[in-house]
């Protein structure tokens, strides 16, 4: 399997129509979650996962209120809640290194492209 740079569409239409599918190994073309995922890292991504179904690391696009996309990777976890769904989604704040509930307004602007199963670092980045 060959590695190619992750290139997600930047249009404002249905992004899933152009996204890859299945499990693929791709090279990050930018910093997706510094310092955990940076340019040149190789990722194994399951593109068949389109929602936050389990705790883990996801490749997502967050739309700003004006519709501009921001591509990144984020960790999410599902926690019991007294809401009607019985589950609340919490996201990890990279800067604070803590967890916080993801508000419904923000959740409505997040599109999941896939679940990141593995992150591989090139040996040259390991200082060897």
């Amino acid at each position: 399997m060959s590695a190619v740079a992750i290139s997600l569409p930047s249009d404002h239409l249905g992004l899933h129509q152009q996204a890859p599918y299945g499990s693929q190994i791709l090279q990050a073309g930018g910093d997706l979650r510094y310092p955990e995922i940076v340019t040149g890292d190789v990722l194994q991504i399951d593109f068949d996962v389109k929602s936050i179904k389990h705790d883990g690391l996801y490749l997502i696009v967050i739309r700003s209120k004006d519709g501009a996309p921001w591509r990144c990777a984020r960790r999410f976890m599902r926690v019991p809640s007294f809401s009607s769904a019985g589950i609340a989604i919490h996201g990890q704040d990279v800067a604070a290194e803590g967890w916080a509930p993801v508000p419904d307004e923000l959740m409505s602007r997040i599109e999941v492209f896939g679940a990141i199963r593995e992150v591989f670092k090139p040996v040259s980045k390991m200082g060897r």
Side-chain angles (χ1 to χ4, degrees):
M1 196 179 293
S2 62
V4 297
I6 294 173
S7 177
L8 299 177
S10 60
D11 66 339
H12 298 288
L13 303 173
L15 297 178
H16 289 307
Q17 296 172 5
Q18 301 172 22
Y21 58 90
S23 182
Q24 295 192 26
I25 294 178
L26 303 170
Q27 186 173 30
D31 294 354
L32 295 173
R33 181 180 163 86
Y34 183 83
E36 188 175 0
I37 301 173
V38 296
T39 302
D41 289 350
V42 176
L43 311 172
Q44 179 187 7
I45 304 171
D46 182 352
F47 285 102
D48 291 338
V49 176
K50 300 298 183 194
S51 62
I52 300 167
K53 296 182 178 183
H54 55 80
D55 298 355
L57 183 60
Y58 291 85
L59 179 63
I60 63 171
V61 169
I62 302 173
R63 297 259 180 220
S64 66
K65 291 182 182 179
D66 66 359
W70 178 45
R71 294 158 194 83
C72 60
R74 288 292 177 263
R75 288 196 179 279
F76 293 99
M77 70 176 170
R78 297 166 49 99
V79 296
S81 166
F82 292 109
S83 70
S84 60
I87 295 291
I89 302 292
H90 285 225
Q92 188 176 33
D93 181 342
V94 178
E97 297 182 3
W99 294 89
V102 179
D104 290 339
E105 185 277 326
L106 176 58
M107 201 66 211
S108 69
R109 295 186 287 120
I110 293 175
E111 187 170 4
V112 176
F113 272 87
I116 299 173
R117 302 293 186 206
E118 292 287 337
V119 177
F120 302 97
K121 300 278 187 186
V123 173
S124 61
K125 287 186 177 182
M126 306 297 281
R128 295 180 185 168

